[in-house]
Amino acid sequence: MSGKISSVSEVVASVPNGAHVGLGGFAIARNVICVVHEIIRQNKGGLTVSQGVAGLDTDLLVGAGLVKHLIIGGGSLDRFGPVHNINRAREQGTLVHEDWTSLSLCFRYLAGALGLSFIPIKSLIASEILERLKAGAGANDVSDMTCPFTGERYVA
C-alpha cells in the first residue's frame, strides 16, 4: 500500500487533460496557487474549472490558456481589481462560460457530494442569472420543476 501523502506534482500528474477541476478559495483568499502553478507547469489543458468566486488561481489558469469551460459564481481580485485574464477570454470568446450564483454552485457541489443528480432550489427563480443560464451554456444544467408534495416551483 502506498502512503497517504503525495507531492503536489504527483497529485497534479493524476489529473487528466480535460478534467473538471473544482477550486475553493475566494477572490484572493485561500487560493491553491501551488497547485495551479503545477497544473500550468505540467500543461494540463482543456480543463473545466468551477469555483464559487473565481480569483487569482482561476485567472492564472485561464491566462495560461488551459481552461476551455468556466463555471463560476462571480470573480474578483478583491482590492487588486478585476480578473483580467477571465474577462479578456470571455470578451474574445476563447472559453465557454457559465455564470451561476455562489449559492447555486454550493448546492451543485452538495448534490454531487451526496451522490444526487440535483438538489431543488428556489434561489435562482425570477433571476436574470437563470434566464442567462437557460439561454446559454448552462441550458442543459437547469430545469424548472414542480414539487410533487406542495405544487411549488423549484429549479433543479
Side-chain angles (χ1 to χ4, degrees):
M1 183 172 130
S2 64
K4 294 182 180 182
I5 298 175
S6 299
S7 68
V8 172
S9 61
E10 290 171 327
V11 170
V12 171
S14 72
V15 176
N17 286 323
H20 184 149
V21 178
L23 298 175
F26 182 90
I28 60 170
R30 298 178 308 280
N31 298 136
V32 290
I33 300 299
C34 65
V35 173
V36 166
H37 281 180
E38 188 62 23
I39 290 171
I40 294 168
R41 192 187 71 71
Q42 291 187 26
N43 199 32
K44 299 288 184 168
L47 300 174
T48 296
V49 173
S50 62
Q51 189 171 27
V53 176
L56 181 60
D57 45 3
T58 303
D59 204 42
L60 288 171
L61 288 172
V62 170
L66 301 177
V67 179
K68 71 168 185 162
H69 191 156
L70 185 62
I71 303 168
I72 58 174
S76 167
L77 296 179
D78 198 23
R79 62 186 162 273
F80 301 109
V83 282
H84 293 290
N85 293 320
I86 292 172
N87 292 342
R88 184 173 30 258
R90 290 169 66 124
E91 290 167 6
Q92 295 173 352
T94 58
L95 61 78
V96 175
H97 57 88
E98 297 178 36
D99 294 319
W100 294 75
T101 64
S102 295
L103 179 61
S104 60
L105 279 177
C106 287
F107 279 117
R108 292 182 77 186
Y109 291 142
L110 178 60
L114 294 173
L116 302 172
S117 55
F118 71 94
I119 290 180
I121 62 173
K122 288 187 169 192
S123 63
L124 289 176
I125 293 175
S127 75
E128 183 180 307
I129 292 173
L130 180 59
E131 293 171 18
R132 288 185 196 167
L133 285 168
K134 287 181 175 181
N140 293 328
D141 294 328
V142 293
S143 179
D144 290 315
M145 66 171 287
T146 302
C147 174
F149 305 107
T150 65
E152 293 179 84
R153 178 181 173 207
Y154 285 88
V155 174

